[in-house]
Amino acid sequence: MNPSAHIGVTGLAVMGRNLARNLARHGYTVAVHNRTPARTTSLLAEFGHEGTFVAADSAKAMVAALQRPRRLIVMVQAGRPTDDVIAEYAPLLDPGDVVVDGGNAHFADTRRREAALRERGIHFLGTGISGGEEGALNGPSIMPGGSPEAYRLLAPALTDIAGITPDGTPAVAHLGADGAGHFVKMVHNGIEYADMQLIAEAYHLLRHATGWEPARIAEVFRQWNTGRLNSYLVEVTAEVLAHHDADTGLPFVDVIADAAEQKGTGRWTVQTALDLGVPVSGIAEAVFARSLSGHSALRAAGTALPGPAPTILDERDAARLTEQVEQALYASKVISYAQGLHQIQAAGDAYGWNVDLAAVAGVWRAGCIIRAAFLDRVRDAYTAGPGLPSLLADPGFAHEVGDAQLPWRLVVSRATRDGVPVPAFAAALAHYDTLRTPRLPAALTQAQRDYFGAHTYRRTDRPGSYHIRWDTDRTEEAAL
Ligand code: 6PG
């Protein structure tokens, strides 16, 4: 059989199937394969009319169907399944071919896989694909990492199928070598967790303080979505809060079990940040909030703990609180994105990826779960200042967040006084205040460490490391 397919997709669960359809709709001849042949058959039966598909009933048939250099997209579960598929295909491919991993792989696995395939002369593109099944079909945000050569081979197809940003550019860019793409996708998911947690805290505080029904709060989010908080997640929140359960007629959000689950990419983000020494407190609080919500025994024991009696605001004060919460939500959101982008920058330094944060913000403007209007300005900030140490070093964002600090503080203090948990709001505010503080109590920490562990300390008035002999008060300069 003459190889006729421009590109192949193996793994036809929802994401893989929709990605194959997206490619076919853009005129590519797409070879498709799935370990369970029924999925291949059903794809062609249901969507064969959308373009040109070539059904492959084995890895061998897939490889035979692909024009060289072969372009194969692997869309299977992260971890061992991805390794198994690569192990099956690698011996069948030739030098110069390229394998794309479009799953939510851990970046360390991607680095390992890229190095192993490079030994065979096969390119590997670890590619974060965000936007869920709808995004995969109609235009995801695509975050590829790998060699320039590997990206060059895929760029036309990825550009054709990516989401389109507000200024008409495709939501795809080569983000760096080996694991850079999957790292950026991982942090995207971490920021997604923080975004969702902040929205949840805003909703919870408003409901607790005003007694409003979810549908009323949905209107608040709809209003916010017309301003600087415009984003996919705020839009989704308005939809969800306005929805009523078909079975009971109750607000949909009131019939859902309040234990949040997580597949793990947010957890990876925090684990990786700890290793890099980068504070991502907003993301961490979001991960812990999900975990704590699932600790039913802990929560059952906690119901007996005393707390403040709820107070319901009158309409005037409720309107004022709503404005304050908008400010707190926006400021906390900026902090969470700043922390995530700092983590990407630190990883780029650690792994030699030299990631362009303007490009990262650029591809997050369409297709992905955290797409948001303010990302245009985030991209502009890093375009104007590629070496920005933090998003908060951008004058525009520093001014906006600074302007929000009083309402932000009022929101955190009201929530604290009313016994409403706002871990992500509070963590973001603490991060902001830590950055502002000229002298931190870390000096005391150093003294304590030297006292009990002789771990030495540095001074403000002269270079070097020192240790005090606390028994004789004699200071020794520590050998460097
Ligand atoms: C995306 C999403 C996706 C994520 C799901 C569930 O970018 O399309 O982030 O990758 O896996 O949203 O994630 P959790 O189960 O971790 O919430």
Side-chain angles (χ1 to χ4, degrees), residues 260-411:
E261 297 174 278
Q262 50 188 319
K263 280 198 226 133
T265 45
R267 200 165 37 236
W268 287 350
T269 308
V270 180
Q271 288 165 338
T272 308
L274 290 170
D275 292 338
L276 287 167
V278 170
V280 290
S281 48
I283 298 170
E285 288 298 345
V287 172
F288 285 133
R290 291 198 186 191
S291 305
L292 183 51
S293 72
H295 280 282
S296 47
L298 225 55
R299 293 182 57 194
T303 51
L305 295 171
T311 54
I312 297 295
L313 297 175
D314 63 24
E315 277 299 312
R316 187 173 59 90
D317 289 343
R320 183 182 299 130
L321 177 65
T322 302
E323 283 164 20
Q324 290 167 352
V325 171
E326 189 277 343
Q327 299 259 16
L329 181 55
Y330 181 75
S332 303
K333 173 177 182 155
V334 172
I335 297 289
S336 298
Y337 279 70
Q339 291 180 336
L341 290 164
H342 176 207
Q343 182 176 356
I344 292 170
Q345 193 171 45
D349 295 343
Y351 295 105
W353 294 330
N354 191 26
V355 180
D356 174 2
L357 294 181
V360 171
V363 301
W364 285 352
R365 293 177 304 141
C368 66
I369 304 294
I370 66 170
R371 59 187 186 266
F374 94 131
L375 281 165
D376 283 332
R377 293 180 37 238
V378 174
R379 183 201 49 175
D380 296 347
Y382 280 105
T383 303
L388 276 182
S390 158
L391 186 58
L392 292 170
D394 170 73
F397 281 107
H399 180 73
E400 264 193 319
V401 176
D403 261 3
Q405 65 168 309
L406 181 58
W408 191 6
R409 296 180 193 284
L410 291 171
V411 164

Side-chain angles (χ1 to χ4, degrees), residues 104 129-132 143 184-200 232-233 261-266 269 282-283 286-287 290 336-337 340 364 367-371:
N104 266 341
I129 298 176
S130 177
M143 296 157 255
V184 170
K185 174 57 167 73
M186 173 190 76
V187 175
H188 161 278
N189 282 33
I191 291 174
E192 174 186 306
Y193 280 45
D195 244 341
M196 293 167 73
Q197 179 62 25
L198 289 168
I199 286 171
Y232 174 67
L233 283 172
E261 297 174 278
Q262 50 188 319
K263 280 198 226 133
T265 45
T269 308
I283 298 170
V287 172
R290 291 198 186 191
S336 298
Y337 279 70
W364 285 352
C368 66
I369 304 294
I370 66 170
R371 59 187 186 266

Side-chain angles (χ1 to χ4, degrees), residues 110-111 114 124 144-148 174-181 351-355:
T110 300
R111 283 167 54 81
E114 197 268 348
F124 188 68
S147 68
H174 181 220
L175 295 175
D178 56 64
Y351 295 105
W353 294 330
N354 191 26
V355 180

Side-chain angles (χ1 to χ4, degrees), residues 2-7 29 62-71 97:
N2 278 332
S4 63
H6 302 111
I7 197 162
T29 299
M62 166 65 88
V63 172
L66 292 173
Q67 291 176 8
R68 296 188 184 198
R70 301 183 186 91
R71 298 164 173 82
D97 291 347

Side-chain angles (χ1 to χ4, degrees), residues 207 243-258:
R207 187 159 189 195
H243 190 68
H244 285 82
D245 178 50
D247 296 349
T248 61
L250 293 172
F252 183 55
V253 73
D254 287 347
V255 298
I256 295 178
D258 66 339

